[in-house]
Amino acid sequence: MSEFWLISAPGDKENLQALERMNIVTSKSNLSYNTKFAIPDFKLIKRMAQSVAEVMEDSKGKVQENLLANGVDLTSFVTHFEWDMAKYPAKQPLVGVVDTLAKQLAQIETDLKTRTAAYNTLKTNLENLQKKSKGNLFTRTLSDIVSKEDFVLDSEYLVTLLVIVPKPNYTQWQKTYESLSDMVVPRSTKLITEDSEGGLFTVTLFRKVIDDFKTKAKENKFTVREFYYDEKEIKREREELTRLLSDKKQQYGPLLRWLKVNFSEAFIAWIHIKALRVFVESVLRYGLPVNFQAVLLQPHKKSSTKRLREVLNSVFRHLDEVAAASILDASVEIPGLQLNNQDYFPYVYFHIDLSLLD
């Protein structure tokens, strides 16, 4: 399982008894793997993981291997966690450590918003442009299909129209298009492209019969597609697509590298915050002098979590009889706490969920 339970219980002189008891009671039914967690709700982590997934949309199978902390996978980092004395000196006042962590994470979050916003704007513009070349002949752009040679241009009298003809009506079109109106240029039709439903044909005629031709075409289930060939506009659109593709490619590498580096930094800070919370909560619950042992439990499977909770409740019931009773009876309220009873246990407990992409 990718789920961990970070709990704390009162320790003895060497802080070994709590871990040994934990190993004994959980190993009987193979409930969890326990490790010592050394110590001298956080949305940013998940948001960064999801940003990595969004940037790596074409390599989704490789996202997890890019979510590392200090160069190792998240499970290894958590199970071998050690307090970073260089970044967060233990001799520094607690408020100072918290302030350092808060400022670090706030800066990462600010940078994340700026960088992803710029990339997402670029991505959206590119997708909107690419969408124009998708769809059927009635809706998609024609600028990447037609060419200058398909049209009679710069003529005072003649104009070339584009007509969508259903596939079953190809023969009818060839036989009738010249007679749909007066002044249609003979043998001026040409099939430019087709999709699963129909084809796009050209036809050249005199400008003054356009409206009449459109009416007759519609009566015969032929659709005149409104289109004006503008060479400058088509060139501009193609250049814009090329530029956006190039910009996205240029931004992809630096953004992914930044996300990987700062995901690692944010995740490491997050685990340090978890450790701080365990420390503070343990001191508040168990009192001074500081004497507790933090233990990291990794349930072996989802089905064993209920049994594991029952075992822990039994072992540490004496620490808080009211909380222990409330686990069995949801109607029991814990005085002074406005918490869902499911969030409070006789021992200090914090949840660490590494399923960041779910």
Side-chain angles (χ1 to χ4, degrees):
M1 286 181 62
S2 61
E3 177 180 335
F4 294 85
W5 295 2
L6 183 58
I7 74 166
S8 169
D12 49 47
K13 289 184 180 180
E14 296 183 8
N15 282 334
L16 294 175
Q17 186 177 350
L19 179 58
E20 290 175 356
R21 290 184 67 195
M22 195 76 63
N23 287 334
I24 291 172
V25 298
T26 60
S27 63
K28 289 180 181 179
S29 302
N30 194 30
L31 296 174
S32 64
Y33 172 72
N34 312 326
T35 54
K36 187 175 180 179
F37 195 85
I39 300 177
D41 225 76
F42 197 63
K43 294 181 180 179
L44 175 60
I45 302 299
K46 195 151 192 171
R47 204 155 56 238
M48 292 198 74
Q50 290 168 345
S51 294
V52 173
E54 289 169 6
V55 171
M56 296 185 66
E57 58 186 336
D58 297 328
S59 306
K60 289 187 177 179
K62 296 184 178 181
V63 173
Q64 196 65 54
E65 63 190 59
N66 283 275
L67 298 178
L68 305 176
N70 259 1
V72 300
D73 64 87
L74 305 186
T75 297
S76 297
F77 180 83
V78 171
T79 53
H80 298 88
F81 172 77
E82 290 185 3
W83 187 269
D84 190 332
M85 295 293 185
K87 278 187 179 179
Y88 316 111
K91 292 182 180 179
Q92 185 181 359
L94 207 57
V95 66
V97 176
V98 172
D99 186 56
T100 299
L101 285 163
K103 286 180 179 178
Q104 179 188 4
L105 294 171
Q107 186 60 53
I108 290 175
E109 185 165 23
T110 299
D111 291 347
L112 175 66
K113 289 178 180 178
T114 303
R115 290 171 182 266
T116 54
Y119 184 79
N120 287 335
T121 298
L122 172 62
K123 182 180 171 184
T124 299
N125 291 339
L126 178 58
E127 287 174 349
N128 289 338
L129 202 56
Q130 289 174 326
K131 279 179 184 177
K132 292 182 179 181
S133 62
K134 297 178 181 178
N136 57 38
L137 294 173
F138 291 93
T139 58
R140 61 157 295 158
T141 183
L142 302 178
S143 60
D144 59 336
I145 295 176
V146 299
S147 64
K148 185 177 181 179
E149 291 70 29
D150 296 323
F151 297 84
V152 174
L153 300 173
D154 303 321
S155 170
E156 183 180 351
Y157 301 105
L158 295 175
V159 65
T160 299
L161 301 182
L162 297 177
V163 183
I164 301 170
V165 179
K167 276 191 173 180
N169 298 13
Y170 279 9
T171 302
Q172 180 190 355
W173 166 257
Q174 293 288 355
K175 289 180 179 179
T176 63
Y177 80 90
E178 293 179 7
S179 59
L180 289 177
S181 176
D182 294 334
M183 310 180 85
V184 175
V185 177
R187 287 181 285 183
S188 63
T189 192
K190 179 176 69 173
L191 176 63
I192 296 179
T193 189
E194 59 183 346
D195 59 17
S196 60
E197 298 176 358
L200 185 69
F201 289 80
T202 60
V203 61
T204 301
L205 49 117
F206 279 75
R207 292 181 180 274
K208 65 182 186 179
V209 298
I210 289 178
D211 291 339
D212 183 52
F213 183 88
K214 286 182 178 180
T215 301
K216 295 291 176 55
K218 186 176 182 181
E219 291 173 0
N220 286 272
K221 298 181 180 178
F222 307 138
T223 305
V224 176
R225 171 75 191 267
E226 297 296 335
F227 180 82
Y228 173 71
Y229 186 86
D230 184 335
E231 196 166 14
K232 290 182 179 179
E233 178 62 23
I234 290 175
K235 183 180 179 182
R236 186 203 64 78
E237 192 173 299
R238 288 173 179 169
E239 288 176 347
E240 177 70 1
L241 179 60
T242 301
R243 183 188 67 79
L244 290 173
L245 285 168
S246 176
D247 288 353
K248 183 183 178 186
K249 187 176 181 180
Q250 289 177 3
Q251 288 192 28
Y252 173 85
L255 177 58
L256 182 58
R257 284 192 292 274
W258 183 90
L259 284 170
K260 288 165 66 175
V261 168
N262 285 275
F263 171 83
S264 175
E265 291 297 312
F267 184 85
I268 291 169
W270 181 50
I271 298 302
H272 277 76
I273 288 174
K274 291 284 187 181
L276 275 178
R277 293 182 68 189
V278 170
F279 177 84
V280 172
E281 184 71 15
S282 297
V283 170
L284 288 173
R285 288 231 211 158
Y286 310 141
L288 294 172
V290 176
N291 184 21
F292 69 89
Q293 175 59 59
V295 180
L296 187 69
L297 282 71
Q298 183 180 10
H300 285 307
K301 50 189 177 180
K302 197 74 174 177
S303 59
S304 66
T305 57
K306 183 178 179 181
R307 175 59 182 154
L308 177 59
R309 190 69 76 189
E310 291 171 351
V311 167
L312 295 178
N313 185 47
S314 174
V315 172
F316 299 114
R317 183 184 187 90
H318 63 284
L319 298 176
D320 192 331
E321 293 286 349
V322 176
S326 72
I327 296 172
L328 300 176
D329 184 359
S331 65
V332 176
E333 295 183 0
I334 304 173
L337 281 179
Q338 302 298 317
L339 291 172
N340 184 317
N341 290 346
Q342 294 178 348
D343 298 328
Y344 187 85
F345 302 95
Y347 46 87
V348 173
Y349 164 80
F350 291 100
H351 186 248
I352 300 175
D353 187 358
L354 302 185
S355 303
L356 301 176
L357 298 174
D358 295 345

